[in-house]
Amino acid sequence: MQMKNFKEDFPLLRENPVVYLDSAVTAQRPESVINSEMEFYQKYNANPLRGLYDLGFKATECYEQSRETVRKFINAKSEREIIFTRNATESLNLVAYSYGINFLKKGDEILVTIMEHHSNQLPWRAVAEKTGAAVKYIECNHDGTITEEHLKQAFSERTKLVAVTHISNVLGCKTPIKRITELAKECGAVVVLDASQSVPHIPVDVQSLDVDFLAFSGHKLMAPFGIGVLYGKESLLEKMPPFLTGGEMIDSVTRDKVVYSDLPHKFEAGTVNAAGAWGLKTAIEYIQNVGYDTIGSIEEELTKIAFDGLKQIPRINIQGSSNPKEHCGIISFTIDGVHPHDVSSILDADGIAVRAGHHCAQPLMEFLGIPSTTRASIYFYNTKDDIDAFLNSVSSVRRRMGYGE
Amino acid sequence: MENNRSFYNEILTDHNLHPMHKHPLDTATASLEGVNPSCGDDIVLNLNIKDGVITDGSFTGDGCAISQASADIMLDLIIGKTVEEAEHLKDIFLKMIQGKATDEEIEELEEGGALSDISHMPARVKCAVLGWHTFENILKE
Ligand SMILES: Cc1ncc(COP(=O)(O)O)c(C=O)c1O
């Protein structure tokens, strides 16, 4: 099959020869998204929800249309369940501070998996500190698999909240979210799903997943920086107090009484990032146009090539599953005797951008017994040439570090 | 495409793979840990200072090649020097990493000059200066 070269859609990739293998950190932006953010400022700019004039209404309309696009995208029941934030981190903190602190208490248990990003760990530790609830870990196998056994060990009748990632940002594996929501239901716990790494790669349907909250960042989905999403079930959001207070989230304020706005505005205090939301809408349209099937098949093919190539190179250790299909384009690896930061600096000298470090998942690193890894993350706009360049460079690393081979 | 201007030159890789000064030091009069969280570099610098002269020194710990090689090269330079001379070299090294040292000054650093390219690698500056900063902190104590 003749694949379209998607790099054509991305101004940076058209003009810059960089081999960009760091999309799990942030994706590149297609021209349509860059243009739509600009379009907002050129055609619709006013402070949404405030200006009582035509332009103000247009800005509001753009903002609310974007919300509707997000609602459809993740199949939420109502636009009242879609809250715009800055990023996944803010979305998760919103749930922790508004739901966690107010509805959990001493004796309750919060479950997180050992592979959570710090953004889905630290807010829960703060909740534990403030409420006296305890944070417990769901363990996993060395390749990231969470088994029934691991779940049974973690869940108890005290479990009241489960915060889990959909896809690990280090190992690329999926977590058994369906089973987790089932078990959570049995003990009356709410489920918070971190979809930061899944939304860019696989369709996400909040109703079929039946999670209570879901968080993601726009920027990993090719939207502008500074726009993120929190989905929450209406019945829960209704009873939660505001996270931040201030402008544009009240119905009325008198000297001694405040009536907060209705959902979702109750959770969107202050001037909102309407241009970012408008760009997110375009990013969602772009991704739907490309299609998750196409995205998945390109990623799978390239991941397989990368895997096969890496296996030919001596002294490379790939973390996670041995099956390239279970990586969602994420390949974390180490090279014997070479520090991951040195690996990434050598790749950088060859024009290849990868990430090295603990990937904001230090408890997972500790579990894997490695301080850090180099991570290449593949997206559908990457090409076989990118992977070839990557493999060439990786195969030269030990020699360039002075090992005689 | 392989870029041969990569700053992992022979001097650097040699000090990383075969550090002369990486060992414990029973006679140390001062020891201090230095940590660079960005790479997870974690070293302990040990010095024996007698009458204002650094008579011996070593380091232990782990980290990336740049932090390890830089610490080893530093010890090559400062062992046998007076504290004053060593501080002078430290000042030049830190200037070099900011891209501000003259060629004559870099000469004084001998093999330390092999790390001059790090000034173009903002992400790795902390690795290169870890040993020297730890040295600076030992003197402060
Ligand atoms: C799994 C996961 N969760 C949360 C985050 C945090 O995203 P952000 O920094 O955009 O809030 C990331 C991004 O690195 C991630 O990979």
Side-chain angles (χ1 to χ4, degrees):
Chain A
M1 182 168 64
Q2 185 61 42
M3 273 293 173
K4 173 175 171 187
N5 183 359
F6 285 101
K7 281 189 186 180
E8 290 301 316
D9 294 345
F10 293 77
L12 186 142
L13 297 174
R14 271 199 317 252
E15 280 152 37
N16 189 322
V18 64
V19 173
Y20 190 74
L21 292 173
D22 202 17
S23 297
V25 171
T26 196
Q28 291 301 333
R29 315 303 200 267
E31 193 147 35
S32 60
V33 168
I34 297 168
N35 287 342
S36 78
E37 191 173 25
M38 194 162 68
E39 175 192 55
F40 180 88
Y41 289 116
Q42 287 178 340
K43 291 193 188 158
Y44 311 118
N45 184 51
N47 199 325
L49 311 160
R50 293 190 190 182
L52 295 178
Y53 39 81
D54 189 45
L55 199 57
F57 293 134
K58 284 221 177 80
T60 308
E61 216 174 277
C62 287
Y63 188 60
E64 295 305 328
Q65 263 181 37
S66 308
R67 196 190 307 278
E68 173 59 16
T69 300
V70 172
R71 183 200 67 75
K72 277 210 206 101
F73 177 56
I74 59 172
N75 193 30
K77 279 191 193 137
S78 155
E79 76 288 345
R80 291 160 58 82
E81 300 181 315
I82 306 297
I83 295 155
F84 284 122
T85 62
R86 281 187 304 139
N87 49 42
T89 303
E90 185 176 307
S91 301
L92 294 163
N93 274 276
L94 193 162
V95 182
Y97 283 87
S98 172
Y99 182 85
I101 284 182
N102 293 295
F103 294 93
L104 296 187
K105 54 180 194 312
K106 196 167 162 53
D108 290 346
E109 285 176 0
I110 300 168
L111 294 185
V112 301
T113 79
I114 196 79
M115 58 186 130
E116 294 313 306
H117 188 280
H118 294 166
S119 292
N120 202 22
Q121 291 202 30
L122 303 189
W124 307 115
R125 291 197 202 176
V127 170
E129 254 168 48
K130 292 221 162 73
T131 61
V135 173
K136 278 181 61 184
Y137 287 97
I138 301 174
E139 304 289 335
C140 62
N141 287 342
H142 215 75
D143 66 358
T145 318
I146 295 173
T147 64
E148 187 67 17
E149 202 52 29
H150 293 125
L151 293 174
K152 286 268 155 69
Q153 267 167 21
F155 275 91
S156 81
E157 71 280 6
R158 290 184 298 279
T159 307
K160 288 293 167 277
L161 189 144
V162 189
V164 54
T165 192
H166 203 179
I167 291 177
S168 159
N169 65 319
V170 177
L171 301 173
C173 57
K174 294 186 186 119
T175 52
I177 184 61
K178 285 245 159 117
R179 185 69 188 127
I180 287 172
T181 46
E182 273 170 30
L183 289 168
K185 283 248 155 59
E186 283 172 23
C187 41
V190 299
V191 175
V192 184
L193 185 64
D194 178 355
S196 301
Q197 294 294 345
S198 58
V199 164
H201 301 280
I202 57 174
V204 168
D205 177 328
V206 290
Q207 292 190 58
S208 86
L209 290 167
D210 200 19
V211 292
D212 298 286
F213 297 99
L214 177 140
F216 64 90
S217 289
H219 68 91
K220 294 188 202 280
L221 194 70
M222 302 177 283
F225 280 128
I227 188 79
V229 171
L230 172 67
Y231 157 84
K233 278 189 183 155
E234 192 170 342
S235 55
L236 292 169
L237 293 175
E238 283 282 6
K239 64 177 188 180
M240 287 157 54
F243 172 43
L244 302 170
T245 55
E248 229 42 72
M249 49 80 67
I250 50 94
D251 278 346
S252 69
V253 180
T254 57
R255 279 179 192 235
D256 41 32
K257 190 163 189 295
V258 181
V259 179
Y260 295 121
S261 311
D262 214 355
L263 288 175
H265 303 286
K266 177 169 92 176
F267 290 108
E268 294 179 354
T271 295
V272 298
N273 181 2
W278 191 240
L280 174 59
K281 173 178 179 284
T282 307
I284 291 171
E285 286 159 0
Y286 179 83
I287 212 169
Q288 287 174 329
N289 230 340
V290 175
Y292 279 112
D293 287 344
T294 305
I295 291 174
S297 69
I298 296 172
E299 282 171 8
E300 206 177 297
E301 187 187 329
L302 295 179
T303 309
K304 181 158 189 324
I305 297 170
F307 254 67
D308 291 347
L310 288 174
K311 281 183 189 154
Q312 304 290 314
I313 306 170
R315 298 173 192 275
I316 301 262
N317 319 292
I318 300 174
Q319 302 297 320
S321 168
S322 54
N323 181 355
K325 289 186 181 176
E326 287 169 23
H327 278 261
C328 296
I330 290 175
I331 308 173
S332 279
F333 64 98
T334 54
I335 303 181
D336 291 347
V338 187
H339 191 285
H341 279 81
D342 295 320
V343 176
S344 78
S345 286
I346 288 182
L347 266 58
D348 178 41
D350 293 348
I352 300 159
V354 296
R355 171 122 186 243
H358 52 61
H359 314 294
C360 303
Q362 280 181 317
L364 175 63
M365 291 294 153
E366 201 184 335
F367 170 74
L368 295 172
I370 40 176
S372 57
T373 70
T374 306
R375 178 185 71 186
S377 51
I378 295 166
Y379 210 11
F380 65 95
Y381 43 64
N382 288 120
T383 59
K384 184 167 178 302
D385 286 349
D386 290 342
I387 306 302
D388 288 344
F390 165 73
L391 290 169
N392 255 328
S393 189
V394 170
S395 67
S396 73
V397 166
R398 274 183 59 93
R399 177 174 48 75
R400 285 155 84 180
M401 287 304 290
Y403 290 99
E405 58 190 71
Chain B
M1 218 181 318
E2 191 166 319
N3 183 341
N4 286 320
R5 288 184 308 112
S6 141
F7 51 82
Y8 289 93
N9 49 52
E10 221 173 307
I11 295 172
L12 197 159
T13 58
D14 205 46
H15 277 278
N16 174 47
L17 293 184
H18 314 290
M20 281 274 291
H21 303 289
K22 188 168 177 174
H23 52 77
L25 190 69
D26 294 339
T27 58
T29 55
S31 293
L32 192 69
E33 185 178 19
V35 178
N36 165 27
S38 80
C39 283
D41 304 326
D42 188 348
I43 64 166
V44 174
L45 182 65
N46 311 296
L47 295 177
N48 183 326
I49 304 178
K50 248 192 222 118
D51 305 326
V53 178
I54 301 164
T55 59
D56 204 356
S58 81
F59 76 105
T60 53
D62 292 300
C64 66
I66 297 172
S67 70
Q68 303 291 295
S70 180
D72 201 54
I73 292 170
M74 174 185 82
L75 285 160
D76 262 356
L77 281 169
I78 67 173
I79 293 172
K81 300 264 179 10
T82 65
V83 169
E84 224 165 55
E85 287 166 335
E87 278 198 284
H88 169 69
L89 293 171
K90 177 204 75 190
D91 292 339
I92 297 179
F93 188 89
L94 296 180
K95 259 168 84 180
M96 177 184 81
I97 294 298
Q98 295 168 355
K100 290 182 188 155
T102 63
D103 287 349
E104 290 81 59
E105 286 175 322
I106 293 175
E107 283 280 290
E108 287 186 57
L109 294 177
E110 300 171 27
E111 288 193 327
L115 287 157
S116 65
D117 280 348
I118 306 281
S119 61
H120 307 300
M121 297 283 307
R124 307 306 301 278
V125 162
K126 284 196 183 128
C127 318
V129 299
L130 179 64
W132 291 96
H133 273 316
T134 312
F135 171 56
E136 193 171 32
N137 289 334
I138 281 192
L139 296 182
K140 277 188 202 147
E141 286 197 347

